[in-house]
Amino acid sequence: MAPTSPPTFRRRRLGGALRRMREEHGLTQQEVADRIGYRIDRVSRIETGRTKVDVPALRAMLDVYGVDDLALRAAMEDMARNVSQRGWWHSYASFLHLAFQDFLGLESDASELCLWESLLVPGLLQTEEYTRGLLAAGVGVVHSSSERIDKLVSVRLERQQVLEKANPLQLCTVIGEAALRNPIGDTGVMRRQLEHILHVSRLENAHIQILPLDCGAHLGLDGTFALFEFPDGGRLASLESLVNSFYLEDDESVQAYSHAFQQIRESALGEEETRRRLVELGRDLQDCE
């Protein structure tokens, strides 16, 4: 019997994709088990993420489901190989809650990430100074010590490598103008933060827009969120609270957040206009120094 362990989000995502393929073909777990020579309980554990699926078994299941898209097969095989691989964040695992470790794994695996942030500069765009000033506000509430803050700063900066790796993450983000006007640290910290966003906005894989303060009503007022897309075609929405992250994988929910993001983008400044606004905001701060 294959070993069973608590499901990681990566395993649940792969298992969920295989379950949806099976259901689309109108097959039962027993029928799949019979065709690939497995027990039904193993197919069930694979679909719920409680056991990993090796590449030969994955190939057999994809054959049963008639998947002949070579790019999709390759993406799912990579997922199967990497599902138990330790990410760079493992060395920080002792002080990162499991939900955030899941988030880092998804961020590392994603091919595209769409972010809406109303009141904060997104973590992938933060400078060290900004991050440190932001986290300092949580000492005694969600952060126990300055040592913990040092480690969290390191995590946040290391996360940003996804934007410059060999196959970089495609980042599309809308930032509320209030986030850029709310001073985290002194004016020098904010000016350098704006300069950093301007720098990242010039990367080919980064698309950054500012939502003006006077844009009126929009769906983003209900809260910030992230949308992940993966090489295998999977999608999910992420909602983050002060101490936890929540994921929505059903098509209806993901589609709703996708429409909300498009609405926010349409109300935001274009990318070139955003760059001009960043320069203007930076000059205003420079005049205050």
Side-chain angles (χ1 to χ4, degrees), residues 115-122 125 171-182 190 193-199 201 206-216 218 261-285:
L115 292 171
W116 156 239
E117 278 285 0
S118 58
L119 299 175
L120 299 173
V121 172
L125 302 177
L171 175 67
C172 183
T173 183
V174 182
I175 309 171
E177 187 174 350
L180 306 177
R181 293 185 177 276
N182 183 32
M190 287 304 299
Q193 176 62 76
L194 292 171
E195 291 171 350
H196 180 66
I197 297 172
L198 183 61
H199 166 72
S201 75
H207 306 280
I208 300 173
Q209 295 175 253
I210 294 173
L211 187 69
L213 289 170
D214 59 356
C215 66
H218 59 87
F261 187 74
Q262 289 306 315
Q263 183 202 73
I264 296 168
R265 287 195 73 187
E266 290 168 4
S267 300
L269 303 179
E271 292 183 52
E272 283 299 328
E273 194 174 357
T274 287
R275 282 189 273 270
R276 289 195 292 272
R277 181 65 63 87
L278 288 168
V279 171
E280 292 170 2
L281 292 170
R283 286 173 180 164
D284 291 344
L285 289 173

Short mmCIF file of all heavy atoms in Angstrom, two decimals, residues 115-122 125 171-182 190 193-199 201 206-216 218 261-285:
data_model
loop_
_atom_site.label_atom_id
_atom_site.label_comp_id
_atom_site.label_asym_id
_atom_site.label_seq_id
_atom_site.Cartn_x
_atom_site.Cartn_y
_atom_site.Cartn_z
N LEU A 115 -2.45 40.34 -8.97
CA LEU A 115 -2.60 40.83 -7.61
C LEU A 115 -3.37 42.13 -7.55
O LEU A 115 -3.12 43.04 -8.35
CB LEU A 115 -1.22 41.08 -6.98
CG LEU A 115 -0.29 39.92 -6.69
CD1 LEU A 115 1.08 40.44 -6.30
CD2 LEU A 115 -0.86 39.06 -5.57
N TRP A 116 -4.27 42.23 -6.62
CA TRP A 116 -4.93 43.49 -6.31
C TRP A 116 -4.60 43.83 -4.85
O TRP A 116 -4.90 43.06 -3.95
CB TRP A 116 -6.43 43.42 -6.51
CG TRP A 116 -7.23 44.41 -5.71
CD1 TRP A 116 -8.20 44.14 -4.80
CD2 TRP A 116 -7.13 45.85 -5.74
NE1 TRP A 116 -8.71 45.29 -4.25
CE2 TRP A 116 -8.06 46.36 -4.82
CE3 TRP A 116 -6.32 46.75 -6.46
CZ2 TRP A 116 -8.22 47.74 -4.59
CZ3 TRP A 116 -6.48 48.12 -6.23
CH2 TRP A 116 -7.42 48.59 -5.31
N GLU A 117 -3.95 44.96 -4.63
CA GLU A 117 -3.61 45.43 -3.29
C GLU A 117 -4.10 46.87 -3.14
O GLU A 117 -3.72 47.74 -3.93
CB GLU A 117 -2.10 45.39 -3.04
CG GLU A 117 -1.57 44.03 -2.64
CD GLU A 117 -1.88 43.64 -1.21
OE1 GLU A 117 -2.52 44.46 -0.51
OE2 GLU A 117 -1.51 42.54 -0.80
N SER A 118 -4.93 47.10 -2.15
CA SER A 118 -5.52 48.43 -1.99
C SER A 118 -4.73 49.35 -1.07
O SER A 118 -4.64 50.56 -1.33
CB SER A 118 -6.96 48.30 -1.47
OG SER A 118 -6.96 47.59 -0.23
N LEU A 119 -4.14 48.81 -0.01
CA LEU A 119 -3.55 49.67 1.01
C LEU A 119 -2.06 49.42 1.24
O LEU A 119 -1.43 50.16 2.00
CB LEU A 119 -4.29 49.48 2.35
CG LEU A 119 -5.78 49.86 2.32
CD1 LEU A 119 -6.43 49.51 3.66
CD2 LEU A 119 -5.95 51.34 2.01
N LEU A 120 -1.50 48.38 0.62
CA LEU A 120 -0.10 48.05 0.81
C LEU A 120 0.59 47.86 -0.53
O LEU A 120 -0.04 47.43 -1.50
CB LEU A 120 0.06 46.76 1.62
CG LEU A 120 -0.49 46.71 3.04
CD1 LEU A 120 -0.36 45.29 3.58
CD2 LEU A 120 0.27 47.69 3.93
N VAL A 121 1.87 48.11 -0.58
CA VAL A 121 2.67 47.71 -1.73
C VAL A 121 2.77 46.19 -1.68
O VAL A 121 3.09 45.62 -0.64
CB VAL A 121 4.07 48.33 -1.68
CG1 VAL A 121 4.97 47.76 -2.77
CG2 VAL A 121 3.97 49.85 -1.80
N PRO A 122 2.48 45.48 -2.77
CA PRO A 122 2.55 44.01 -2.76
C PRO A 122 3.94 43.52 -2.34
O PRO A 122 4.95 44.16 -2.65
CB PRO A 122 2.25 43.64 -4.22
CG PRO A 122 1.47 44.78 -4.74
CD PRO A 122 2.02 46.00 -4.07
N LEU A 125 6.98 43.48 -4.55
CA LEU A 125 7.50 44.77 -4.99
C LEU A 125 8.11 45.59 -3.87
O LEU A 125 8.58 46.70 -4.10
CB LEU A 125 6.38 45.60 -5.65
CG LEU A 125 5.68 44.97 -6.85
CD1 LEU A 125 4.55 45.88 -7.34
CD2 LEU A 125 6.66 44.69 -7.97
N LEU A 171 3.82 38.76 -13.86
CA LEU A 171 3.14 39.47 -12.77
C LEU A 171 2.28 40.58 -13.33
O LEU A 171 2.73 41.41 -14.12
CB LEU A 171 4.17 40.07 -11.81
CG LEU A 171 3.60 40.93 -10.68
CD1 LEU A 171 2.78 40.08 -9.72
CD2 LEU A 171 4.73 41.64 -9.93
N CYS A 172 1.02 40.58 -12.92
CA CYS A 172 0.09 41.64 -13.30
C CYS A 172 -0.53 42.15 -12.00
O CYS A 172 -1.22 41.38 -11.31
CB CYS A 172 -0.98 41.10 -14.24
SG CYS A 172 -2.14 42.35 -14.83
N THR A 173 -0.26 43.39 -11.64
CA THR A 173 -0.72 43.87 -10.35
C THR A 173 -1.31 45.26 -10.45
O THR A 173 -0.85 46.10 -11.23
CB THR A 173 0.41 43.86 -9.30
OG1 THR A 173 -0.08 44.28 -8.03
CG2 THR A 173 1.54 44.80 -9.71
N VAL A 174 -2.36 45.48 -9.68
CA VAL A 174 -2.96 46.81 -9.55
C VAL A 174 -2.81 47.22 -8.09
O VAL A 174 -3.16 46.46 -7.18
CB VAL A 174 -4.44 46.82 -9.95
CG1 VAL A 174 -5.01 48.24 -9.83
CG2 VAL A 174 -4.62 46.30 -11.38
N ILE A 175 -2.27 48.41 -7.88
CA ILE A 175 -2.02 48.93 -6.53
C ILE A 175 -2.90 50.15 -6.32
O ILE A 175 -2.91 51.08 -7.14
CB ILE A 175 -0.55 49.34 -6.35
CG1 ILE A 175 0.38 48.21 -6.77
CG2 ILE A 175 -0.28 49.74 -4.90
CD1 ILE A 175 1.85 48.63 -6.83
N GLY A 176 -3.63 50.16 -5.22
CA GLY A 176 -4.41 51.34 -4.88
C GLY A 176 -3.50 52.52 -4.60
O GLY A 176 -2.46 52.37 -3.94
N GLU A 177 -3.86 53.70 -5.09
CA GLU A 177 -3.01 54.87 -4.88
C GLU A 177 -2.80 55.17 -3.40
O GLU A 177 -1.76 55.69 -2.99
CB GLU A 177 -3.62 56.09 -5.58
CG GLU A 177 -2.72 57.30 -5.56
CD GLU A 177 -3.26 58.46 -6.38
OE1 GLU A 177 -4.25 58.27 -7.14
OE2 GLU A 177 -2.68 59.56 -6.28
N ALA A 178 -3.78 54.80 -2.57
CA ALA A 178 -3.64 55.02 -1.13
C ALA A 178 -2.42 54.31 -0.58
O ALA A 178 -1.76 54.81 0.35
CB ALA A 178 -4.90 54.54 -0.41
N ALA A 179 -2.08 53.14 -1.14
CA ALA A 179 -0.90 52.39 -0.67
C ALA A 179 0.38 53.17 -0.92
O ALA A 179 1.35 53.05 -0.16
CB ALA A 179 -0.83 51.04 -1.38
N LEU A 180 0.40 53.98 -1.98
CA LEU A 180 1.60 54.72 -2.35
C LEU A 180 1.68 56.06 -1.63
O LEU A 180 2.74 56.69 -1.61
CB LEU A 180 1.64 54.93 -3.86
CG LEU A 180 1.49 53.64 -4.68
CD1 LEU A 180 1.46 53.97 -6.17
CD2 LEU A 180 2.62 52.67 -4.37
N ARG A 181 0.59 56.49 -1.05
CA ARG A 181 0.57 57.75 -0.31
C ARG A 181 0.66 57.55 1.19
O ARG A 181 0.91 58.50 1.93
CB ARG A 181 -0.69 58.54 -0.66
CG ARG A 181 -0.72 59.04 -2.11
CD ARG A 181 -1.93 59.92 -2.37
NE ARG A 181 -1.93 60.46 -3.73
CZ ARG A 181 -1.28 61.55 -4.11
NH1 ARG A 181 -0.56 62.23 -3.22
NH2 ARG A 181 -1.34 61.99 -5.34
N ASN A 182 0.40 56.32 1.64
CA ASN A 182 0.47 56.03 3.08
C ASN A 182 1.92 55.85 3.49
O ASN A 182 2.59 54.92 3.04
CB ASN A 182 -0.32 54.75 3.40
CG ASN A 182 -0.36 54.45 4.87
OD1 ASN A 182 -0.35 55.34 5.71
ND2 ASN A 182 -0.38 53.16 5.20
N MET A 190 9.81 55.92 1.45
CA MET A 190 8.73 55.87 0.47
C MET A 190 9.21 56.26 -0.92
O MET A 190 8.78 55.68 -1.92
CB MET A 190 7.58 56.75 0.91
CG MET A 190 6.77 56.20 2.08
SD MET A 190 6.11 54.52 1.79
CE MET A 190 5.05 54.78 0.36
N GLN A 193 10.97 53.39 -2.31
CA GLN A 193 9.99 52.34 -2.64
C GLN A 193 9.34 52.63 -3.99
O GLN A 193 9.17 51.74 -4.82
CB GLN A 193 8.93 52.26 -1.54
CG GLN A 193 7.80 51.28 -1.83
CD GLN A 193 8.28 49.84 -1.97
OE1 GLN A 193 8.58 49.18 -0.99
NE2 GLN A 193 8.36 49.35 -3.20
N LEU A 194 8.97 53.88 -4.22
CA LEU A 194 8.37 54.25 -5.50
C LEU A 194 9.36 54.04 -6.64
O LEU A 194 8.97 53.57 -7.73
CB LEU A 194 7.92 55.71 -5.45
CG LEU A 194 6.76 56.03 -4.50
CD1 LEU A 194 6.58 57.54 -4.39
CD2 LEU A 194 5.47 55.37 -4.96
N GLU A 195 10.61 54.36 -6.42
CA GLU A 195 11.63 54.15 -7.45
C GLU A 195 11.79 52.68 -7.78
O GLU A 195 12.00 52.29 -8.93
CB GLU A 195 12.97 54.75 -6.99
CG GLU A 195 12.98 56.27 -6.93
CD GLU A 195 14.24 56.82 -6.26
OE1 GLU A 195 15.01 56.00 -5.68
OE2 GLU A 195 14.45 58.04 -6.30
N HIS A 196 11.68 51.84 -6.74
CA HIS A 196 11.80 50.39 -6.97
C HIS A 196 10.62 49.86 -7.79
O HIS A 196 10.81 49.05 -8.71
CB HIS A 196 11.87 49.66 -5.63
CG HIS A 196 12.00 48.17 -5.77
ND1 HIS A 196 13.10 47.56 -6.32
CD2 HIS A 196 11.12 47.17 -5.46
CE1 HIS A 196 12.93 46.25 -6.33
NE2 HIS A 196 11.73 45.99 -5.82
N ILE A 197 9.42 50.31 -7.46
CA ILE A 197 8.25 49.89 -8.25
C ILE A 197 8.42 50.33 -9.71
O ILE A 197 8.12 49.57 -10.64
CB ILE A 197 6.95 50.47 -7.66
CG1 ILE A 197 6.71 49.94 -6.25
CG2 ILE A 197 5.74 50.13 -8.56
CD1 ILE A 197 5.56 50.61 -5.52
N LEU A 198 8.91 51.54 -9.90
CA LEU A 198 9.15 52.05 -11.25
C LEU A 198 10.15 51.16 -11.99
O LEU A 198 9.96 50.83 -13.17
CB LEU A 198 9.67 53.48 -11.17
CG LEU A 198 9.90 54.21 -12.50
CD1 LEU A 198 8.60 54.33 -13.28
CD2 LEU A 198 10.52 55.59 -12.23
N HIS A 199 11.20 50.74 -11.28
CA HIS A 199 12.20 49.85 -11.89
C HIS A 199 11.57 48.52 -12.31
O HIS A 199 11.76 48.06 -13.45
CB HIS A 199 13.35 49.61 -10.91
CG HIS A 199 14.24 48.47 -11.28
ND1 HIS A 199 15.13 48.52 -12.32
CD2 HIS A 199 14.35 47.21 -10.76
CE1 HIS A 199 15.75 47.36 -12.44
NE2 HIS A 199 15.30 46.55 -11.51
N SER A 201 8.51 47.88 -12.92
CA SER A 201 7.49 48.06 -13.95
C SER A 201 8.08 48.03 -15.35
O SER A 201 7.34 47.86 -16.33
CB SER A 201 6.75 49.39 -13.74
OG SER A 201 7.56 50.50 -14.13
N ALA A 206 6.51 42.15 -15.98
CA ALA A 206 5.79 42.85 -14.91
C ALA A 206 4.87 43.92 -15.50
O ALA A 206 5.32 44.76 -16.29
CB ALA A 206 6.76 43.49 -13.93
N HIS A 207 3.60 43.86 -15.15
CA HIS A 207 2.61 44.81 -15.64
C HIS A 207 1.95 45.45 -14.42
O HIS A 207 1.17 44.79 -13.71
CB HIS A 207 1.59 44.12 -16.53
CG HIS A 207 2.22 43.34 -17.65
ND1 HIS A 207 2.65 43.94 -18.80
CD2 HIS A 207 2.53 42.02 -17.75
CE1 HIS A 207 3.20 43.03 -19.59
NE2 HIS A 207 3.14 41.86 -18.98
N ILE A 208 2.30 46.70 -14.15
CA ILE A 208 1.89 47.36 -12.92
C ILE A 208 1.01 48.56 -13.25
O ILE A 208 1.33 49.37 -14.12
CB ILE A 208 3.12 47.80 -12.11
CG1 ILE A 208 3.97 46.58 -11.74
CG2 ILE A 208 2.70 48.56 -10.85
CD1 ILE A 208 5.30 46.92 -11.09
N GLN A 209 -0.11 48.67 -12.54
CA GLN A 209 -1.02 49.80 -12.72
C GLN A 209 -1.42 50.35 -11.35
O GLN A 209 -1.43 49.62 -10.35
CB GLN A 209 -2.28 49.35 -13.47
CG GLN A 209 -2.03 48.89 -14.89
CD GLN A 209 -3.29 48.36 -15.54
OE1 GLN A 209 -3.44 47.15 -15.72
NE2 GLN A 209 -4.23 49.24 -15.88
N ILE A 210 -1.74 51.63 -11.34
CA ILE A 210 -2.21 52.30 -10.12
C ILE A 210 -3.70 52.60 -10.27
O ILE A 210 -4.15 53.08 -11.32
CB ILE A 210 -1.46 53.62 -9.89
CG1 ILE A 210 0.01 53.36 -9.58
CG2 ILE A 210 -2.10 54.42 -8.75
CD1 ILE A 210 0.87 54.62 -9.50
N LEU A 211 -4.46 52.29 -9.24
CA LEU A 211 -5.87 52.63 -9.21
C LEU A 211 -6.01 53.96 -8.47
O LEU A 211 -5.71 54.04 -7.27
CB LEU A 211 -6.69 51.55 -8.52
CG LEU A 211 -8.21 51.74 -8.59
CD1 LEU A 211 -8.72 51.55 -10.02
CD2 LEU A 211 -8.93 50.79 -7.64
N PRO A 212 -6.44 55.04 -9.15
CA PRO A 212 -6.52 56.37 -8.50
C PRO A 212 -7.50 56.39 -7.33
O PRO A 212 -8.45 55.61 -7.26
CB PRO A 212 -6.99 57.28 -9.63
CG PRO A 212 -6.69 56.54 -10.90
CD PRO A 212 -6.84 55.08 -10.56
N LEU A 213 -7.27 57.34 -6.44
CA LEU A 213 -8.13 57.48 -5.27
C LEU A 213 -9.57 57.83 -5.64
O LEU A 213 -10.50 57.46 -4.94
CB LEU A 213 -7.56 58.58 -4.34
CG LEU A 213 -6.27 58.24 -3.60
CD1 LEU A 213 -5.71 59.49 -2.93
CD2 LEU A 213 -6.52 57.15 -2.56
N ASP A 214 -9.74 58.55 -6.74
CA ASP A 214 -11.07 59.04 -7.11
C ASP A 214 -11.76 58.16 -8.14
O ASP A 214 -12.59 58.62 -8.92
CB ASP A 214 -10.98 60.47 -7.64
CG ASP A 214 -10.07 60.58 -8.86
OD1 ASP A 214 -9.46 59.56 -9.24
OD2 ASP A 214 -9.97 61.69 -9.44
N CYS A 215 -11.43 56.85 -8.15
CA CYS A 215 -11.96 55.97 -9.19
C CYS A 215 -13.42 55.58 -8.98
O CYS A 215 -14.06 55.04 -9.87
CB CYS A 215 -11.11 54.70 -9.28
SG CYS A 215 -11.22 53.68 -7.82
N GLY A 216 -13.96 55.83 -7.79
CA GLY A 216 -15.35 55.48 -7.51
C GLY A 216 -15.51 54.05 -7.03
O GLY A 216 -14.54 53.39 -6.63
N HIS A 218 -15.94 50.06 -6.93
CA HIS A 218 -15.41 48.94 -7.71
C HIS A 218 -15.39 47.70 -6.83
O HIS A 218 -15.46 47.79 -5.59
CB HIS A 218 -14.00 49.25 -8.25
CG HIS A 218 -13.00 49.56 -7.19
ND1 HIS A 218 -12.26 48.60 -6.54
CD2 HIS A 218 -12.62 50.75 -6.65
CE1 HIS A 218 -11.47 49.17 -5.66
NE2 HIS A 218 -11.66 50.48 -5.69
N PHE A 261 -10.99 41.37 -11.12
CA PHE A 261 -9.67 41.92 -11.42
C PHE A 261 -9.69 42.70 -12.73
O PHE A 261 -9.09 43.77 -12.84
CB PHE A 261 -8.63 40.80 -11.48
CG PHE A 261 -7.22 41.31 -11.61
CD1 PHE A 261 -6.58 41.89 -10.52
CD2 PHE A 261 -6.55 41.24 -12.82
CE1 PHE A 261 -5.29 42.38 -10.64
CE2 PHE A 261 -5.26 41.72 -12.95
CZ PHE A 261 -4.62 42.30 -11.85
N GLN A 262 -10.39 42.18 -13.72
CA GLN A 262 -10.47 42.88 -15.00
C GLN A 262 -11.18 44.23 -14.84
O GLN A 262 -10.79 45.23 -15.45
CB GLN A 262 -11.19 42.02 -16.03
CG GLN A 262 -10.40 40.82 -16.51
CD GLN A 262 -9.01 41.19 -17.03
OE1 GLN A 262 -8.84 42.14 -17.80
NE2 GLN A 262 -8.00 40.45 -16.60
N GLN A 263 -12.21 44.25 -14.00
CA GLN A 263 -12.90 45.51 -13.75
C GLN A 263 -11.97 46.53 -13.11
O GLN A 263 -11.94 47.71 -13.48
CB GLN A 263 -14.13 45.28 -12.85
CG GLN A 263 -14.95 46.54 -12.62
CD GLN A 263 -15.80 46.46 -11.36
OE1 GLN A 263 -15.30 46.54 -10.24
NE2 GLN A 263 -17.11 46.29 -11.57
N ILE A 264 -11.18 46.06 -12.14
CA ILE A 264 -10.24 46.95 -11.45
C ILE A 264 -9.20 47.48 -12.42
O ILE A 264 -8.86 48.67 -12.43
CB ILE A 264 -9.59 46.22 -10.26
CG1 ILE A 264 -10.64 45.85 -9.21
CG2 ILE A 264 -8.49 47.07 -9.63
CD1 ILE A 264 -10.14 44.87 -8.16
N ARG A 265 -8.68 46.60 -13.28
CA ARG A 265 -7.68 47.01 -14.27
C ARG A 265 -8.23 48.08 -15.22
O ARG A 265 -7.53 49.03 -15.58
CB ARG A 265 -7.21 45.82 -15.09
CG ARG A 265 -6.32 44.85 -14.37
CD ARG A 265 -5.62 43.93 -15.36
NE ARG A 265 -4.58 44.65 -16.09
CZ ARG A 265 -3.89 44.13 -17.11
NH1 ARG A 265 -4.16 42.90 -17.52
NH2 ARG A 265 -2.97 44.82 -17.72
N GLU A 266 -9.48 47.91 -15.61
CA GLU A 266 -10.09 48.86 -16.53
C GLU A 266 -10.26 50.24 -15.90
O GLU A 266 -10.26 51.26 -16.60
CB GLU A 266 -11.43 48.33 -17.02
CG GLU A 266 -11.30 47.12 -17.95
CD GLU A 266 -12.61 46.42 -18.21
OE1 GLU A 266 -13.65 46.91 -17.71
OE2 GLU A 266 -12.62 45.37 -18.88
N SER A 267 -10.40 50.28 -14.57
CA SER A 267 -10.54 51.56 -13.86
C SER A 267 -9.19 52.18 -13.52
O SER A 267 -9.14 53.35 -13.12
CB SER A 267 -11.34 51.35 -12.57
OG SER A 267 -12.64 50.85 -12.85
N ALA A 268 -8.13 51.40 -13.64
CA ALA A 268 -6.80 51.86 -13.24
C ALA A 268 -6.11 52.65 -14.36
O ALA A 268 -6.52 52.61 -15.52
CB ALA A 268 -5.94 50.65 -12.85
N LEU A 269 -5.06 53.36 -13.99
CA LEU A 269 -4.24 54.04 -14.97
C LEU A 269 -3.53 53.01 -15.84
O LEU A 269 -3.21 51.91 -15.38
CB LEU A 269 -3.18 54.90 -14.27
CG LEU A 269 -3.69 55.97 -13.28
CD1 LEU A 269 -2.49 56.69 -12.66
CD2 LEU A 269 -4.63 56.95 -13.97
N GLY A 270 -3.28 53.35 -17.10
CA GLY A 270 -2.50 52.47 -17.96
C GLY A 270 -1.07 52.36 -17.46
O GLY A 270 -0.64 53.12 -16.58
N GLU A 271 -0.31 51.46 -18.02
CA GLU A 271 1.05 51.21 -17.53
C GLU A 271 1.96 52.43 -17.72
O GLU A 271 2.74 52.77 -16.82
CB GLU A 271 1.64 49.98 -18.22
CG GLU A 271 0.94 48.68 -17.80
CD GLU A 271 1.56 47.46 -18.41
OE1 GLU A 271 2.79 47.30 -18.30
OE2 GLU A 271 0.83 46.66 -19.03
N GLU A 272 1.89 53.09 -18.85
CA GLU A 272 2.72 54.27 -19.06
C GLU A 272 2.30 55.41 -18.14
O GLU A 272 3.14 56.11 -17.57
CB GLU A 272 2.65 54.72 -20.52
CG GLU A 272 3.46 53.88 -21.48
CD GLU A 272 4.95 53.91 -21.14
OE1 GLU A 272 5.43 54.95 -20.63
OE2 GLU A 272 5.63 52.89 -21.36
N GLU A 273 0.99 55.59 -18.01
CA GLU A 273 0.49 56.64 -17.12
C GLU A 273 0.86 56.32 -15.67
O GLU A 273 1.15 57.22 -14.87
CB GLU A 273 -1.02 56.78 -17.27
CG GLU A 273 -1.58 58.04 -16.64
CD GLU A 273 -3.06 58.23 -16.92
OE1 GLU A 273 -3.64 57.41 -17.65
OE2 GLU A 273 -3.63 59.21 -16.40
N THR A 274 0.86 55.04 -15.34
CA THR A 274 1.28 54.62 -13.99
C THR A 274 2.73 55.02 -13.73
O THR A 274 3.06 55.53 -12.66
CB THR A 274 1.10 53.10 -13.83
OG1 THR A 274 -0.29 52.80 -13.72
CG2 THR A 274 1.82 52.59 -12.59
N ARG A 275 3.59 54.79 -14.71
CA ARG A 275 4.99 55.16 -14.53
C ARG A 275 5.13 56.67 -14.33
O ARG A 275 5.93 57.13 -13.50
CB ARG A 275 5.82 54.67 -15.71
CG ARG A 275 6.13 53.19 -15.64
CD ARG A 275 7.13 52.76 -16.70
NE ARG A 275 6.47 52.42 -17.94
CZ ARG A 275 6.04 51.20 -18.24
NH1 ARG A 275 6.19 50.20 -17.37
NH2 ARG A 275 5.45 50.95 -19.40
N ARG A 276 4.35 57.44 -15.07
CA ARG A 276 4.41 58.90 -14.89
C ARG A 276 3.92 59.29 -13.50
O ARG A 276 4.50 60.18 -12.85
CB ARG A 276 3.58 59.59 -15.97
CG ARG A 276 4.19 59.52 -17.36
CD ARG A 276 3.52 60.51 -18.31
NE ARG A 276 2.14 60.15 -18.60
CZ ARG A 276 1.77 59.34 -19.59
NH1 ARG A 276 2.69 58.81 -20.39
NH2 ARG A 276 0.49 59.08 -19.80
N ARG A 277 2.88 58.62 -13.02
CA ARG A 277 2.36 58.93 -11.67
C ARG A 277 3.39 58.56 -10.61
O ARG A 277 3.55 59.29 -9.62
CB ARG A 277 1.04 58.19 -11.43
CG ARG A 277 0.38 58.44 -10.07
CD ARG A 277 -0.06 59.90 -9.92
NE ARG A 277 -1.06 60.25 -10.90
CZ ARG A 277 -2.38 60.07 -10.72
NH1 ARG A 277 -2.84 59.56 -9.59
NH2 ARG A 277 -3.23 60.43 -11.67
N LEU A 278 4.09 57.46 -10.79
CA LEU A 278 5.14 57.08 -9.83
C LEU A 278 6.23 58.14 -9.77
O LEU A 278 6.72 58.48 -8.69
CB LEU A 278 5.73 55.72 -10.22
CG LEU A 278 4.84 54.49 -10.00
CD1 LEU A 278 5.44 53.27 -10.69
CD2 LEU A 278 4.67 54.22 -8.50
N VAL A 279 6.61 58.66 -10.92
CA VAL A 279 7.63 59.72 -10.96
C VAL A 279 7.12 60.96 -10.24
O VAL A 279 7.84 61.58 -9.44
CB VAL A 279 8.01 60.05 -12.42
CG1 VAL A 279 8.89 61.30 -12.46
CG2 VAL A 279 8.72 58.87 -13.06
N GLU A 280 5.87 61.33 -10.49
CA GLU A 280 5.28 62.51 -9.85
C GLU A 280 5.23 62.34 -8.34
O GLU A 280 5.60 63.26 -7.58
CB GLU A 280 3.87 62.74 -10.39
CG GLU A 280 3.82 63.17 -11.84
CD GLU A 280 2.40 63.15 -12.40
OE1 GLU A 280 1.48 62.82 -11.61
OE2 GLU A 280 2.22 63.45 -13.59
N LEU A 281 4.78 61.18 -7.87
CA LEU A 281 4.71 60.93 -6.43
C LEU A 281 6.10 60.98 -5.80
O LEU A 281 6.28 61.49 -4.69
CB LEU A 281 4.04 59.58 -6.17
CG LEU A 281 2.56 59.48 -6.50
CD1 LEU A 281 2.09 58.03 -6.42
CD2 LEU A 281 1.74 60.35 -5.58
N GLY A 282 7.10 60.43 -6.51
CA GLY A 282 8.45 60.47 -6.01
C GLY A 282 9.00 61.88 -5.90
O GLY A 282 9.68 62.23 -4.92
N ARG A 283 8.68 62.73 -6.89
CA ARG A 283 9.12 64.12 -6.85
C ARG A 283 8.48 64.87 -5.69
O ARG A 283 9.11 65.69 -5.02
CB ARG A 283 8.79 64.82 -8.17
CG ARG A 283 9.68 64.42 -9.32
CD ARG A 283 9.20 65.01 -10.63
NE ARG A 283 10.06 64.63 -11.75
CZ ARG A 283 9.71 64.74 -13.02
NH1 ARG A 283 8.51 65.25 -13.34
NH2 ARG A 283 10.55 64.39 -13.98
N ASP A 284 7.20 64.60 -5.45
CA ASP A 284 6.50 65.23 -4.32
C ASP A 284 7.20 64.89 -3.01
O ASP A 284 7.36 65.77 -2.14
CB ASP A 284 5.05 64.78 -4.27
CG ASP A 284 4.22 65.33 -5.42
OD1 ASP A 284 4.68 66.29 -6.08
OD2 ASP A 284 3.12 64.79 -5.66
N LEU A 285 7.60 63.64 -2.86
CA LEU A 285 8.29 63.22 -1.64
C LEU A 285 9.67 63.85 -1.54
O LEU A 285 10.13 64.23 -0.45
CB LEU A 285 8.40 61.69 -1.58
CG LEU A 285 7.08 60.94 -1.32
CD1 LEU A 285 7.29 59.45 -1.47
CD2 LEU A 285 6.54 61.27 0.06
#
